[in-house]
Amino acid sequence: MTDRRRIVAGNWKMHGSLGAARELAGALAATAHEPGRGLPEVIVFPPFPHLDAVRRVLEDAESAGTLAVQLGAQDVSSQGEGAHTGDVSAGMLADCGCSHVLVGHSERRTAFRESDELVATKFQRAADQGLIPILCVGETLREREAERTGEIVLRQLAAVMELCGAGGFTRAVLAYEPVWAIGTGHTATPEQAQEVHALLRGEIARTDAKISAGLRILYGGSVNGANAAALFAQPDIDGGLVGGASLDAKEFLRIITAV
């Protein structure tokens, strides 16, 4: 297997107060580590209003030589700038210190009816501003039961491939998050997750084998300290996109340690 550095990303969603966000970031960043241990890349995704406060906590911890944690945003506008009240552009996120941004999260696709084409545009906007987009794809329970998982995730991937090509994934990350496993306590088995990850990697390999081999693909869907090791042991699963468990510093660190 190609040596791909692992990632553990914590999506805090719309939870917590500003004080709680600072406390959580501080607890995570204060974890000392030994240089050279090959720890995974750790990214946290706070709500928009908490980005600057969390950035300051993480920067202070990094200057003190503790665990380096990167900052990401949960969404980005499909527009560059202009009269788009309520939107946040990729350039603004970069100015706030973000290195990554989620695009196409299942909650955006379902609750806000974001199309594959809109998600692809957001992906491109993020990449154009130097952000690393994490493209989320996944199927609902009904789609899985109808044996349409492959069709759905490949369709969602194809929209980005058509707009950005395989080259768009040179600095991007892909995340498979079965909708039926998000926040439900139900997790895809390691074998189920691996099957979809291998399918996604194989699809990109059809266009560019080198980019495919280096692409990091995360699993998201009720990841916790108990199941993380088995999931991350699969050859095409390169880490996790963690939701609820990332709001508990001890549990999130258990997942990081599992890598």
Side-chain angles (χ1 to χ4, degrees):
M1 181 183 73
T2 298
D3 184 17
R4 297 182 293 266
R5 188 183 178 195
R6 301 302 180 98
I7 302 177
V8 180
N11 178 12
W12 296 355
K13 306 192 179 185
M14 197 173 70
H15 289 296
S17 64
L18 181 58
R22 287 195 185 103
E23 183 177 355
L24 180 57
L28 178 61
T31 302
H33 70 276
E34 298 173 13
R37 280 187 58 193
L39 286 176
E41 186 174 346
V42 180
I43 314 159
V44 293
F45 295 82
F48 283 143
H50 300 167
L51 282 172
D52 188 62
V54 170
R55 176 186 62 81
R56 292 172 185 272
V57 172
L58 298 179
E59 287 181 348
D60 288 346
E62 187 170 352
S63 65
T66 56
L67 179 65
V69 180
Q70 298 181 70
L71 184 67
Q74 297 176 15
D75 189 31
V76 63
S77 176
S78 62
Q79 304 298 318
E81 62 178 3
H84 305 288
T85 301
D87 273 10
V88 179
S89 73
M92 292 173 178
L93 295 177
D95 284 345
C96 286
C98 290
S99 57
H100 295 70
V101 63
L102 301 177
V103 296
H105 190 281
S106 64
E107 291 159 1
R108 301 295 309 181
R109 292 181 186 269
T110 55
F112 295 92
R113 301 292 188 268
E114 292 192 357
S115 67
D116 297 336
E117 292 71 26
L118 178 62
V119 171
T121 301
K122 289 185 173 189
F123 182 103
Q124 185 178 51
R125 288 288 186 190
D128 287 347
Q129 289 296 322
L131 297 173
I132 298 174
I134 299 182
L135 172 65
C136 303
V137 300
E139 83 285 11
T140 65
L141 180 59
R142 179 176 295 181
E143 289 164 343
R144 172 163 280 273
E145 290 177 339
E147 299 184 349
R148 296 182 61 206
T149 296
E151 170 196 343
I152 298 302
V153 299
L154 291 181
R155 186 201 73 207
Q156 293 168 342
L157 175 62
V160 177
M161 293 280 284
E162 289 171 7
L163 183 63
C164 304
F169 288 92
T170 303
R171 293 188 66 251
V173 177
L174 191 55
Y176 167 56
E177 46 162 23
V179 181
W180 50 271
I182 298 173
T184 64
H186 299 292
T187 308
T189 66
E191 293 75 21
Q192 286 174 323
Q194 165 59 24
E195 181 180 14
V196 179
H197 281 233
L199 175 68
L200 292 166
R201 194 180 303 283
E203 182 65 15
I204 293 177
R206 292 175 54 196
T207 302
D208 194 306
K210 183 177 180 180
I211 289 176
S212 173
L215 176 66
R216 292 176 296 177
I217 309 178
L218 313 183
Y219 171 76
S222 297
V223 178
N224 56 50
N227 61 32
L231 286 164
F232 299 164
Q234 300 300 310
D236 287 297
I237 299 179
D238 303 310
L241 177 55
V242 185
S246 69
L247 296 170
D248 181 326
K250 290 183 178 179
E251 183 70 7
F252 194 42
L253 288 167
R254 283 183 66 198
I255 296 170
I256 294 169
T257 302
V259 178

